[in-house]
Amino acid sequence: MSEKLSDTARKTTLEPLLENGWAMVEGRDAIHKTYEFENFVEAFGFMTRCAIWAEKWDHHPEWSNVYKTVEVTLTSHDVDGLSSRDTKLARKMDKLADG
């Protein structure tokens, strides 16, 4: 089980994500980002690469895909808010989207 992000962890791990396109979800302790790709195959490939890591880390995103757009929301349901698992997966998703 993970723990909710502390105030210090929010500054050190969450702020860089917010500067990189992630946003807080209104009314929830969660972060959201929209990824846009060249086409459906690239978007689906991104989701597949992310799914491998999500399964490996046993932490699964709330997400949807329409054509070349992937919408992602991350939160840790076991702590009813953001945890280090969310920031870790968000950083991995950003790397996978860039690479």
Side-chain angles (χ1 to χ4, degrees):
M1 185 167 151
S2 53
E3 293 182 7
K4 212 170 196 180
L5 285 179
S6 67
D7 290 341
T8 302
R10 286 175 183 273
K11 286 199 173 287
T12 59
T13 63
L14 192 56
E15 283 186 11
L17 293 171
L18 297 175
E19 293 170 2
N20 195 35
W22 289 88
M24 295 301 299
V25 175
E26 189 173 330
R28 292 180 70 187
D29 191 25
I31 53 175
H32 176 85
K33 186 170 184 176
T34 301
Y35 293 94
E36 190 164 318
F37 299 91
E38 290 294 316
N39 54 51
F40 175 75
V41 172
E42 285 187 22
F44 197 87
F46 166 75
M47 292 180 76
T48 301
R49 291 187 303 276
C50 291
I52 291 167
W53 286 98
E55 186 66 18
K56 179 179 178 176
W57 292 338
D58 193 28
H59 190 57
H60 306 91
E62 298 172 16
W63 60 3
S64 65
N65 164 242
V66 176
Y67 181 46
K68 64 180 185 173
T69 303
V70 178
E71 300 275 343
V72 180
T73 299
L74 297 175
T75 192
S76 293
H77 299 280
D78 60 341
V79 298
D80 195 30
L82 290 168
S83 75
S84 61
R85 293 172 20 177
D86 299 302
T87 57
K88 179 180 178 181
L89 187 55
R91 286 190 305 273
K92 176 56 83 173
M93 293 177 104
D94 284 347
K95 286 180 186 172
L96 292 170
D98 290 339

